Amino acid sequence: MMLRFLLVCSSILMLSLPAGFAQMTVTAARGDYPGLDIQAELGWDGFIDARTPTPISFLISNNSQDVLEGTLVLREPNTFRTLVLENLTAGPGSSRQFGSIIHLTDWEQCEASWEGPRGVLWTRPVSLIGLRQYAPDKAALLYVEEGGRSLKFSTPAGMPVTSGTLPGDFVPLGGLGQQVTPISIPPWQLPVHPGPLTVLRGLVLADTLKPESLNDSQWNALGHWLCMGGLVFVSQNSEKLSDRLLKSCPLRPDGPPSDSPRLLIGSGCLSRLPGPQGTADEQLLQQVAEIVSLEPGRVQPDVCRSQEQEDRYAPA
């Protein structure tokens, strides 16, 4: 069997991030450059979809006093196949994120490394085993949050569940609508292309986010997905997030004024959530899940295929 990797696009952004920002802390391995911390994530929270491009994300934190330079590389150790991702430089005391979109097929193992003139600065295995596929009979809701909160729903006592119900899933009353699986990610894991977003039914931008939490490529990907039929939920308290998203959309809103609580944009919808608590309101998020469970899927993975080919060699 042969590996076929499709590298669609990548995005690089130098960020100054506060201490403790990372959702997961990777324990330094023997041989890592002192003071260097890198987090790598394939898919989202253990979920992938073989029908769509798979996002792979890196957050590089250089806590040393040195300027570090290297190339991110993926390797299949059994067959010595290699994919070179990008050459990156991280200054002292800075953090940098890198996102790419790839198709992974027939790799049994994967190792990621950051390699530079000083040798291998960092290396880790990337797990390809145990990744869960999205259930076709359930709706996926992505929750993008900067404070490390994980969105989970509680199932009322006596509510019938199925064998496929995961802890934290939303189970609709009376069986009306689909079950909703919440997936929580930090902003550095949002993809730089709309392709991976096509598996989602809805997406929540938490109040903890700032417009600068996402880079231009991430905003553009989100704006394109929204116009293709995505459902985005933002608190009315986060006007700057709404304005930045609307600026990234290739289409303009239809119908009501721009300050309306519900804006139709292309085939999608931007909903502004009411209330002083915004996305911290558990009951409000429960209502979001109810909406998502009843909405039919509007964005199909095949919609992105032609665009993926066009963007294959385009810079992010």
Side-chain angles (χ1 to χ4, degrees):
M1 301 290 287
M2 294 183 63
L3 163 73
R4 289 193 309 108
F5 265 96
L6 173 60
L7 179 58
V8 181
C9 61
S10 60
S11 175
I12 309 168
L13 178 67
M14 180 67 76
L15 299 172
S16 295
L17 299 173
F21 165 81
Q23 197 176 42
M24 299 176 294
T25 302
V26 179
T27 304
R30 230 175 134 183
D32 284 0
Y33 194 87
L36 176 63
D37 175 59
I38 299 181
Q39 298 176 68
E41 182 78 14
L42 177 66
W44 295 322
D45 196 21
F47 283 92
I48 63 169
D49 191 325
R51 302 171 302 164
T52 65
T54 301
I56 186 167
S57 308
F58 296 86
L59 182 62
I60 301 172
S61 300
N62 179 12
N63 301 311
S64 75
Q65 300 300 313
D66 303 318
V67 175
L68 300 181
E69 181 180 0
T71 302
L72 281 174
V73 180
L74 298 180
R75 287 192 172 84
E76 213 292 353
N78 294 328
T79 59
F80 305 104
R81 289 171 289 192
T82 300
L83 176 66
V84 177
L85 296 180
E86 190 70 39
N87 187 69
L88 302 172
T89 301
S94 69
S95 293
R96 188 165 198 169
Q97 71 181 53
F98 171 81
S100 185
I101 298 174
I102 52 182
H103 275 302
L104 294 173
T105 56
D106 303 331
W107 272 38
E108 295 181 359
Q109 297 183 52
C110 180
E111 291 181 354
S113 60
W114 195 30
E115 305 171 6
R118 308 183 187 199
V120 177
L121 302 171
W122 170 92
T123 185
R124 287 290 186 285
V126 177
S127 177
L128 303 179
I129 300 174
L131 294 174
R132 295 171 290 184
Q133 291 284 335
Y134 293 92
D137 59 340
K138 295 165 70 174
L141 175 64
L142 192 66
Y143 184 73
V144 187
E145 212 265 353
E146 201 159 17
R149 176 190 179 190
S150 182
L151 178 61
K152 300 293 182 185
F153 298 103
S154 57
T155 303
M159 181 74 70
V161 297
T162 66
S163 58
T165 302
L166 299 174
D169 278 1
F170 170 79
V171 181
L173 286 169
L176 297 177
Q178 292 182 306
Q179 293 187 21
V180 177
T181 297
I183 302 169
S184 303
I185 65 169
W188 60 271
Q189 290 180 18
L190 197 72
V192 294
H193 188 278
L197 297 173
T198 59
V199 301
L200 303 175
R201 191 70 53 81
L203 184 147
V204 178
L205 296 176
D207 290 350
T208 56
L209 292 176
K210 302 178 181 64
E212 57 270 22
S213 300
L214 304 176
N215 62 38
D216 289 344
S217 295
Q218 291 172 309
W219 278 116
N220 290 339
L222 185 55
H224 278 77
W225 173 75
L226 171 59
C227 292
M228 291 160 55
L231 303 177
V232 178
F233 300 87
V234 181
S235 169
Q236 287 183 347
N237 305 327
S238 302
E239 186 177 347
K240 290 183 179 180
L241 290 179
S242 299
D243 291 345
R244 183 63 182 88
L245 178 56
L246 291 173
K247 183 180 177 181
S248 303
C249 292
L251 302 176
R252 301 278 67 86
D254 238 353
S258 59
D259 59 350
S260 170
R262 190 171 182 269
L263 288 178
L264 300 178
I265 309 175
S267 299
C269 181
L270 170 62
S271 296
R272 295 186 175 99
L273 305 175
Q277 289 185 289
T279 56
D281 189 331
E282 298 286 347
Q283 188 174 358
L284 199 58
L285 291 175
Q286 194 88 4
Q287 294 173 11
V288 168
E290 290 175 2
I291 294 172
V292 170
S293 73
L294 293 170
E295 281 285 340
R298 303 182 185 185
V299 183
Q300 301 300 321
D302 289 343
V303 172
C304 276
R305 294 304 183 200
S306 59
Q307 188 179 4
E308 289 166 25
Q309 297 300 328
E310 292 172 6
D311 291 349
R312 181 174 180 179
Y313 301 108

